[in-house]
Amino acid sequence: MSAVTEAGREAETLPLEKLNVADPRLYQEDSWRPYFVRLRREAPVHYCPESAYGPYWSVTKFKDIMTVEVNHETYSSAGELGGIQVEDRPKDMSRPSFIRMDPPKHTQQRRVVAPIVATEDLNNLEGTIRKRTARVLDELPRGETFDWVDRVSIELTTMMLATLFDFPFEDRRKLTWWSDVAIANVGAADAPVHSEAERFAELKDMAEYMGRLWAERAAAPPKFDLLSMLAHGPSTRDMPLLEFMGTLGLLIVGGNDTTRNTMSGAVLALQRHPDQWAKLRANRALLPAFVQETIRWQTPVIHMRRTARVDAELGGQRIRVGDKVVMWYMSGNRDEEVIDDPEGFVIDRPRPRHHLSFGSGIHRCVGDRLAEVQLQVLWDEILKRDLTIEVIGPPVRAYSNFLRGIKSLPVRIAA
Ligand code: HEM
């Protein structure tokens, strides 16, 4: 019996309190759908009393997720309370960054990096993104199988990061490595690191390497790259080491994995829905909506977690101070009450931006426009070349309940 069918039966028959959607296997096997269908139907705000991560609440409906997002005074992101993942990070190895902070410090630090991805500056970056994308596509083999993730998704997003940091271009795969280390589930057999201590040591190497670049930028006049901006920003220039590690980790993962996995997920979406590719080829004005649909369909960030600062009521349930509250974007993006045919891949939805993949509220993704530009340029250049991308084998998916990762995807482009 396939993993998917087995999961469907288990999802329907387990007692409700036994449903544990934080099990990373569900995402590695891509068998999560029936669990969330049942939760949305029977227990939209659901308490799981026992899991590898302790007890936690699951929020699975679009509107309840929005309630948590916009009430940051009740639902905190603070690292001291546990941060943003269902799995608590060991306290002695916590690496603060502004995604794990509440106002006012969150607001101050976010303000420092926001300008690099602001709209007018993106126009300057678009030319570079297009040139690099064109080169990567032109160098792909024709008529032979290759890994789309490595040759396209990783290559393009790593180049982008190197540009944002003004990082030595020949060393750019170090950024990919640090990103993989930062997000790895250390319990997974194929993880790049197998303990928190190993992860910490690798990220310390990152901090040393970046520290050298930081010192150069701090000594020079301010310029337009993330390191220089952080090194000169009043609320970031004196960051202690752990915060420096955390902030760089955030920017590297934020700008890398999410966009990378959307580039890979889109290829799978098109394999399953070839009619939508035909629709796009016939009407290129649909490109921005197509890009949004790939972001919704993939939902690169599976969840974000908050911790209740006070007692609260949510979807008819009583949340108590200190409770872990997990917003499952994967589920909110498939909420049949808000999105028609949510399992479908539909590139001409009337409200293509109406999804939760970028979150909402004060932590809403700061790099959303940049991600959209990268994705739009990629698919525009693919359309210009009229490339047909054929999926040759199944994807290898990551063992993670946080980022929906595709580790490899064999494809072929017609000769
Ligand atoms: C398709 C691509 C992307 C997706 C799906 C995505 C998703 C997300 C999500 C879900 C959040 C948290 C939102 C919340 O808690 O409400 C977030 C925050 C963030 N993202 Fe992205 N992201 C993407 C691309 C990027 C890029 C390209 C960058 C960097 C250049 C970036 C940098 C950040 C940062 C710094 C934060 C923290 C914002 C804060 O705490 O105020 N992201 N992103």
Side-chain angles (χ1 to χ4, degrees):
M1 190 184 283
S2 79
V4 174
T5 334
E6 224 172 278
R9 217 178 35 169
E10 186 187 90
E12 282 303 323
T13 53
L14 273 180
L16 259 185
E17 71 277 10
K18 293 273 178 217
L19 290 185
N20 172 19
V21 284
D23 182 350
R25 262 185 321 125
L26 301 188
Y27 307 97
Q28 188 176 40
E29 292 168 358
D30 204 33
S31 59
W32 46 274
R33 289 176 183 79
Y35 295 87
F36 285 116
V37 168
R38 177 149 178 231
L39 288 186
R40 285 195 302 273
R41 191 180 64 222
E42 292 179 30
V45 177
H46 169 259
Y47 191 65
C48 175
E50 235 183 85
S51 81
Y53 317 106
Y56 66 94
W57 289 98
S58 281
V59 189
T60 58
K61 299 278 288 180
F62 195 109
K63 71 172 189 331
D64 294 328
I65 293 175
M66 286 301 282
T67 302
V68 175
E69 290 275 20
V70 300
N71 286 297
H72 58 266
E73 278 146 8
T74 302
Y75 300 105
S76 165
S77 300
E80 318 82 84
L81 300 183
I84 54 158
Q85 295 186 37
V86 65
E87 180 165 19
D88 294 315
R89 199 175 267 178
K91 288 240 178 328
D92 54 335
M93 287 180 199
S94 95
R95 300 175 295 277
S97 67
F98 63 91
I99 201 168
R100 296 169 185 274
M101 291 176 194
D102 292 332
K105 204 166 166 193
H106 163 262
T107 324
Q108 291 156 1
Q109 293 205 354
R110 179 177 164 115
R111 210 174 277 148
V112 176
V113 298
I116 199 163
V117 283
T119 317
E120 66 270 28
D121 299 321
L122 278 180
N123 296 337
N124 303 333
L125 280 180
E126 189 177 328
T128 313
I129 296 175
R130 194 170 287 280
K131 243 190 307 181
R132 289 181 171 167
T133 304
R135 203 176 59 229
V136 166
L137 291 176
D138 288 339
E139 285 173 0
L140 292 176
R142 303 293 193 262
E144 66 183 73
T145 303
F146 65 92
D147 180 11
W148 180 264
V149 174
D150 185 58
R151 295 286 303 260
V152 180
S153 313
I154 293 183
E155 190 56 10
L156 287 179
T157 45
T158 305
M159 281 179 172
M160 186 70 246
L161 266 187
T163 308
L164 289 179
F165 282 111
D166 193 12
F167 189 87
F169 208 61
E170 61 292 355
D171 275 354
R172 64 187 181 280
R173 286 277 172 146
K174 281 186 190 294
L175 294 166
T176 319
W177 168 251
W178 292 326
S179 174
D180 289 347
V181 166
I183 57 117
N185 182 320
V186 293
D190 58 352
V193 285
H194 295 286
S195 69
E196 286 299 332
E198 249 185 88
R199 187 196 326 260
F200 198 79
E202 288 293 337
L203 295 183
K204 226 163 153 211
D205 284 352
M206 171 191 79
E208 268 160 32
Y209 190 113
M210 290 293 214
R212 284 194 295 277
L213 298 180
W214 175 284
E216 285 166 26
R217 309 283 155 89
K223 62 185 190 73
F224 188 67
D225 71 70
L226 276 172
L227 275 175
S228 178
M229 286 166 131
L230 289 168
H232 290 276
S235 62
T236 47
R237 66 182 164 219
D238 298 320
M239 280 193 281
L241 174 70
L242 289 180
E243 200 168 317
F244 180 55
M245 285 167 75
T247 307
L248 292 178
L250 166 62
L251 292 166
I252 289 173
V253 172
N256 194 35
D257 245 279
T258 47
T259 319
R260 177 207 293 188
N261 289 315
T262 310
M263 289 176 174
S264 308
V267 173
L268 279 174
L270 289 173
Q271 177 208 20
R272 291 180 201 165
H273 302 272
D275 57 316
Q276 299 299 302
W277 184 238
K279 209 191 267 178
L280 181 61
R281 284 176 74 207
N283 179 8
R284 295 203 188 176
L286 288 172
L287 188 57
F290 162 82
V291 163
Q292 288 306 322
E293 180 66 350
T294 64
I295 297 170
R296 182 195 73 86
W297 202 80
Q298 175 65 16
T299 312
V301 178
I302 298 172
H303 82 260
M304 282 280 163
R305 168 257 177 109
R306 303 289 188 256
T307 309
R309 273 198 187 278
V310 290
D311 289 354
E313 195 266 1
L314 183 67
Q317 300 289 343
R318 185 137 179 74
I319 311 288
R320 294 193 188 276
V321 61
D323 282 358
K324 254 184 215 189
V325 178
V326 181
M327 299 178 283
W328 295 101
Y329 297 135
M330 287 289 271
S331 176
N333 271 346
R334 267 128 182 120
D335 184 347
E336 37 292 276
E337 248 177 51
V338 176
I339 295 166
D340 277 343
D341 184 15
E343 279 306 332
F345 180 75
V346 183
I347 70 163
D348 51 357
R349 292 186 182 277
R351 294 175 68 197
R353 288 180 168 276
H354 195 52
H355 62 73
L356 291 166
S357 293
F358 290 122
S360 192
I362 60 167
H363 287 280
R364 185 188 153 93
C365 179
V366 78
D368 56 352
R369 286 292 301 128
L370 177 62
E372 286 162 13
V373 169
Q374 289 181 78
L375 292 166
Q376 211 155 302
V377 167
L378 171 62
W379 290 100
D380 192 32
E381 293 297 319
I382 289 174
L383 281 168
K384 270 190 208 159
R385 287 164 179 74
D386 202 15
L387 301 182
T388 304
I389 305 155
E390 190 191 347
V391 175
I392 300 297
V396 175
R397 294 181 185 275
Y399 180 80
S400 168
N401 60 24
F402 186 60
L403 292 183
R404 191 164 179 226
I406 299 174
K407 293 165 80 94
S408 64
L409 179 64
V411 301
R412 189 167 47 209
I413 293 177

